C-alpha cells in the first residue's frame, strides 16, 4: 500500500495504483481525455496534469504511479494554467460548431436544426413541441420576430437563408389550441413567484417558473396581457394567435391580476412578503433585494422572451437553493465563415448526415435545405465541458489559422468528422485490441497526423464491429451516430 496526500487529504492506495486512482479514492475528479479504463494510459493529451508539490513538477495523473508520501495538488493555478493551455491548443486545431450559428444567435435559444429535422421527418408534434418549449410564443414570434437567426444562417452563403421564422410559425400554428409542452410541468413545489408586467418577458418568466412547479401570479397595470403587441395591426399579428399563446400560459395555472399598478399599492415590499421570489419584468426601478429578480421588456420581442427565460432560470435556481446559473452562454467552438473552396464540400457532407444530398434537397420543403450545422454530441463532448469548466472564451482568436473543413466520412450509422478529432488514440486502441485486420491508425506525424484506415479500406472496415464502442468512447463528436440527438 502507498499512503499519500491529494489536496491535503490523506489516502491509501494499493501499490501500483495511479494518481488518478488515488485522486478518485480521495473523492477528487481529474479531467481525462485520452484515458479509459479499458485502454489504460495513452498519455496523448496531458489534460490530467497534477502538481507534485515536493518537486514542483506536473505529472500525468492517468499514468504516474502513486508513491508513498507524495503530496499532490490537483487544483492549483499552475495545474489550471496547464490545462487551459492544452485545451487552447486542441481548440486551435478544432473545426466544429457546438451549436449551429442560427441557434447561437437566437436570444430565446430555439434549437433550430433540431426543429427543422422534425419538420423534415414529418414529425409535426416534435417540431411544435421543440418550438413551444424553446420559444414559449412560437406562433406570435413567427409573426413579429425580426429573425436575427436568418442573418447568420450558413445556408445563406450558398443561396438564401432558411426561412426559420416562417418554419416555427408554420410548425406551431396547427397546435395553437393544444396544451403542448404542459406535460413537462414538475410537481408543485408549494413556492410562489410574483411577476410584475404581462409583456412577453413577464409571461415567458411565468411559463418557465410554472413549468418548474411554482405558483405564479402576474401583476399588470393595463387591462390585458401582451398590451404592446396588441397595438400591432391585425394583419401583422392576428389577436387570436396571441390570445391562444397567452392562454397556454394561463393553462399552467398562472394567475393574472390586471389593472394593478405595482408601486404604492401593492408595493414591491408587499409582493416580497407574499411571494418567495419576485420578478420585475417592466421598467419599474427598485432597490436590490435577494428575492428580487429582473427581466427586461426589450424592444426586440424575441429578446424579451430570452430575458424572461433567463430571469426564470435565476429564480428557479434560487428557490431550489442551487448555485446561480452562469451569466455566460455555454462554451461554443465555431467554424466561422466558410471559405469559397470549402462551401461545396461542407454542404454535400452535412446533407449526407441526414441521408440526402445537397443538390437533391427539395426546394419547396424549406427544412430539407438545412445543413444541420450543429454538433452531434453537444452535451457529452468532454472537450466542450472542460473548455467551459476552465473558462476558455470561445471568442478568443485562434493562435493558428483555422484548419480547412475536412469531409465527413460515414460507416453505416457512424460518422467520422476529422475536424473534431483530438487524436487521443482511444479508438485506435479499441480497434487494435479487437484484432481487426484493417483497423485504423494515425498517418503522418506532428501537426499533420490524422486518423486513416490503411490501404484505403474505408471507415466501415477500419472500425469493424467495434464501431459503436468507439463512438461511445470518443471524447468528442469526432465519432458519433448519424441520428444522435442530445439535449
Ligand atoms: S466536438 Fe465538442 S467541442 Fe467540437 S463542436 Fe462538438 S461539442 Fe463542440
Ligand atoms: S443551415 Fe440550418 S443549422 Fe445551419 S445555420 Fe441555417 S438553419 Fe441553422
Ligand atoms: S476519433 Fe475520437 S477516439 Fe478516435 S482519436 Fe479521434 S478523438 Fe480520439
Ligand atoms: S494524458 Fe492523462 S488523460 Fe490524457
Amino acid at each position: 500500500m502507498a499512503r499519500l496526500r491529494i489536496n491535503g487529504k490523506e489516502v491509501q492506495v494499493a501499490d501500483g495504483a495511479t494518481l488518478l486512482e488515488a485522486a478518485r479514492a480521495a473523492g477528487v475528479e481529474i479531467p481525462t481525455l485520452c484515458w479509459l479504463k479499458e485502454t489504460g494510459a495513452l498519455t496523448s493529451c496531458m489534460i490530467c496534469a497534477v502538481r507534485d508539490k515536493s518537486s514542483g513538477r506536473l505529472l500525468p495523473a492517468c499514468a504516474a504511479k502513486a508513491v508513498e508520501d507524495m503530496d499532490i495538488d490537483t487544483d492549483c493555478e499552475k495545474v489550471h494554467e496547464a490545462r487551459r493551455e492544452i485545451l487552447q491548443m486542441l481548440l486551435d486545431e478544432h473545426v466544429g460548431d457546438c451549436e449551429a450559428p442560427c441557434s447561437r444567435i437566437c436570444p430565446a435559444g430555439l434549437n433550430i436544426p433540431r426543429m427543422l429535422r422534425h419538420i423534415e421527418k414529418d414529425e409535426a408534434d416534435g417540431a411544435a413541441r421543440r418550438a413551444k418549449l424553446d420559444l414559449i410564443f412560437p406562433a406570435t414570434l413567427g409573426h413579429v420576430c425580426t429573425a436575427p437567426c436568418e442573418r447568420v444562417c450558413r445556408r445563406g452563403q450558398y443561396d438564401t437563408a432558411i426561412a426559420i421564422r416562417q418554419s416555427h410559425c408554420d410548425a406551431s400554428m396547427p397546435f395553437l389550441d393544444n396544451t403542448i409542452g404542459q406535460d413537462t410541468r414538475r410537481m408543485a413545489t408549494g413556492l410562489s413567484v410574483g411577476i410584475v408586467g404581462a409583456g412577453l418577458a413577464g409571461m415567458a418568466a411565468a411559463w418557465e417558473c410554472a413549468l418548474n412547479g411554482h405558483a405564479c401570479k402576474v401583476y399588470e397595470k393595463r387591462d390585458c396581457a401582451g398590451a404592446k403587441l396588441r397595438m400591432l395591426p391585425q394583419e401583422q399579428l392576428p389577436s387570436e394567435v396571441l390570445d391562444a399563446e397567452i392562454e397556454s400560459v394561463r393553462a399552467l395555472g398562472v394567475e393574472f391580476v390586471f389593472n394593478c399598478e405595482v408601486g404604492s399599492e401593492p408595493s414591491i415590499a408587499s409582493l416580497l412578503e407574499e411571494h418567495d421570489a419576485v420578478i420585475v419584468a417592466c421598467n419599474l426601478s427598485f432597490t436590490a433585494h435577494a428575492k428580487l429578480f429582473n427581466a427586461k421588456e426589450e424592444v426586440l420581442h424575441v429578446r424579451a422572451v430570452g430575458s424572461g427565460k433567463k430571469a426564470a432560470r435565476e429564480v428557479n435556481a434560487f428557490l431550489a437553493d442551487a448555485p446561480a446559473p452562469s451569466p455566460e452562454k455555454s462554451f461554443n467552438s465555431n467554424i466561422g465563415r466558410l471559405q469559397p473552396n470549402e462551401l461545396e464540400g461542407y454542404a454535400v457532407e452535412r446533407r449526407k448526415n441526414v441521408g440526402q444530398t445537397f443538390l437533391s434537397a427539395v426546394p419547396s420543403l424549406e427544412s430539407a435545405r438545412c445543413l444541420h450545422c450543429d454538433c452531434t454530441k453537444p452535451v457529452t463532448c468532454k472537450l466542450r465541458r472542460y473548455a467551459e469548466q476552465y473558462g476558455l472564451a470561445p471568442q478568443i482568436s485562434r493562435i493558428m489559422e483555422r484548419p480547412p473543413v475536412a469531409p465527413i466520412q460515414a460507416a453505416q450509422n457512424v460518422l467520422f468528422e476529422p475536424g473534431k478529432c483530438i487524436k487521443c488514440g482511444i479508438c485506435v486502441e479499441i480497434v487494435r485490441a479487437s484484432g481487426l485486420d484493417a483497423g485504423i491508425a494515425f498517418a503522418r506525424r506532428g501537426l499533420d497526423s490524422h486518423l486513416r484506415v490503411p490501404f484505403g479500406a474505408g471507415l466501415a472496415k477500419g472500425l469493424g464491429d467495434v464501431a459503436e464502442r468507439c463512438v461511445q468512447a470518443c471524447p468528442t463528436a469526432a465519432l458519433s451516430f448519424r441520428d444522435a440527438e442530445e439535449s
Side-chain angles (χ1 to χ4, degrees):
M1 301 294 279
R3 201 193 315 258
L4 66 159
R5 280 180 305 284
I6 305 280
N7 297 347
K9 184 173 176 187
E10 198 153 296
V11 278
Q12 212 173 355
V13 287
D15 279 338
T18 62
L19 289 176
L20 185 65
E21 287 163 330
R24 287 185 175 172
V28 172
E29 239 350 278
I30 292 178
T32 58
L33 284 168
C34 72
W35 179 89
L36 259 197
K37 198 164 183 196
E38 70 190 87
T39 54
L42 302 174
T43 45
S44 61
C45 77
M46 301 302 284
I47 195 77
C48 61
V50 293
R51 185 166 168 267
D52 176 2
K53 281 168 98 173
S54 50
S55 68
R57 282 172 55 218
L58 291 177
L59 304 169
C62 67
K65 298 283 182 249
V67 175
E68 180 74 19
D69 226 16
M70 265 181 156
D71 195 359
I72 297 294
D73 202 338
T74 72
D75 219 16
C76 60
E77 188 42 38
K78 194 170 174 196
V79 163
H80 280 221
E81 199 185 305
R83 291 180 187 161
R84 275 196 297 271
E85 268 173 30
I86 289 159
L87 289 165
Q88 185 57 57
M89 255 161 45
L90 293 173
L91 288 164
D92 275 339
E93 286 185 23
H94 199 70
V95 187
D97 292 291
C98 305
E99 288 172 21
C102 53
S103 301
R104 222 160 39 218
I105 207 101
C106 173
L110 172 61
N111 189 330
I112 293 162
R114 184 175 290 195
M115 177 193 70
L116 294 171
R117 282 194 282 278
H118 280 303
I119 299 176
E120 192 174 353
K121 289 184 202 153
D122 246 343
E123 295 165 358
D125 274 37
R129 193 176 168 80
R130 183 76 272 143
K132 179 72 185 172
L133 288 176
D134 289 351
L135 293 179
I136 306 168
F137 296 93
T140 301
L141 290 174
H143 284 79
V144 301
C145 186
T146 53
C149 53
E150 293 180 15
R151 287 200 286 277
V152 298
C153 170
R154 197 164 277 149
R155 179 78 199 213
Q157 276 196 257
Y158 297 84
D159 37 35
T160 52
I162 307 290
I164 300 167
R165 178 172 69 97
Q166 196 58 49
S167 297
H168 67 70
C169 190
D170 293 348
S172 42
M173 286 298 281
F175 294 88
L176 272 186
D177 56 354
N178 206 316
T179 52
I180 209 149
Q182 308 220 342
D183 53 338
T184 58
R185 187 179 189 185
R186 301 223 175 112
M187 273 191 359
T189 57
L191 301 170
S192 83
V193 182
I195 294 134
V196 187
L200 285 182
M203 289 191 286
W207 163 278
E208 289 286 336
C209 290
L211 275 190
N212 264 271
H214 307 314
C216 294
K217 203 189 247 189
V218 182
Y219 302 85
E220 169 56 50
K221 66 178 176 187
R222 300 182 186 87
D223 60 359
C224 62
K228 271 198 200 149
L229 285 165
R230 291 182 194 283
M231 290 183 216
L232 295 172
Q234 272 293 308
E235 30 327 336
Q236 191 182 350
L237 176 62
S239 49
E240 57 273 22
V241 171
L242 180 61
D243 285 341
E245 293 199 318
I246 292 174
E247 208 40 51
S248 72
V249 178
R250 210 189 295 271
L252 277 180
V254 174
E255 190 186 334
F256 285 85
V257 184
F258 294 122
N259 301 309
C260 176
E261 185 153 6
V262 174
S264 51
E265 190 51 45
S267 63
I268 286 279
S270 65
L271 295 192
L272 284 168
E273 260 178 45
E274 183 180 341
H275 300 286
D276 299 288
V278 172
I279 298 174
V280 175
C282 60
N283 46 15
L284 191 72
S285 54
F286 53 84
T287 319
H289 187 286
K291 284 166 66 178
L292 203 49
F293 298 82
N294 191 20
K296 283 202 188 108
E297 206 41 75
E298 306 260 9
V299 181
L300 209 59
H301 301 299
V302 68
R303 277 224 184 109
V305 173
S307 175
K309 286 176 71 175
K310 182 171 162 284
R313 270 198 302 276
E314 289 164 4
V315 166
N316 290 330
F318 169 72
L319 295 179
D321 241 347
S326 152
E328 302 298 326
K329 279 191 148 194
S330 313
F331 174 87
N332 266 304
S333 157
N334 65 79
I335 296 180
R337 211 174 156 74
L338 298 178
Q339 297 304 311
N341 60 351
E342 293 173 326
L343 281 172
E344 181 151 347
Y346 180 85
V348 170
E349 299 305 329
R350 303 305 299 187
R351 290 301 311 162
K352 273 188 196 154
N353 276 356
V354 285
Q356 288 191 25
T357 66
F358 176 55
L359 297 173
S360 73
V362 189
S364 59
L365 181 56
E366 194 59 10
S367 56
R369 298 173 57 239
C370 175
L371 303 173
H372 307 283
C373 311
D374 53 335
C375 188
T376 41
K377 284 189 186 170
V379 180
T380 53
C381 169
K382 283 178 151 189
L383 184 58
R384 186 183 194 197
R385 187 179 347 132
Y386 295 151
E388 200 155 313
Q389 189 175 329
Y390 290 97
L392 265 84
Q395 289 85 2
I396 57 169
S397 49
R398 288 171 184 270
I399 295 162
M400 302 181 325
E401 206 176 305
R402 164 172 74 67
V405 173
I408 297 173
Q409 297 164 38
Q412 286 98 31
N413 67 335
V414 170
L415 299 175
F416 172 52
E417 288 188 60
K420 294 177 181 171
C421 175
I422 58 166
K423 301 166 194 167
C424 68
I426 284 180
C427 59
V428 175
E429 199 49 36
I430 291 175
V431 169
R432 190 197 56 76
S434 78
L436 267 185
D437 282 347
I440 46 174
F442 288 108
R444 308 223 185 108
R445 283 168 190 272
L447 282 180
D448 230 13
S449 82
H450 56 270
L451 274 186
R452 216 189 54 175
V453 182
F455 313 116
L459 190 63
K461 276 223 159 123
L463 295 175
D465 53 9
V466 287
E468 286 202 11
R469 181 64 201 117
C470 291
V471 171
Q472 287 153 358
C474 177
T476 72
L479 285 170
S480 67
F481 294 117
R482 191 190 292 274
D483 294 325
E485 292 281 10
E486 289 184 346
S487 59

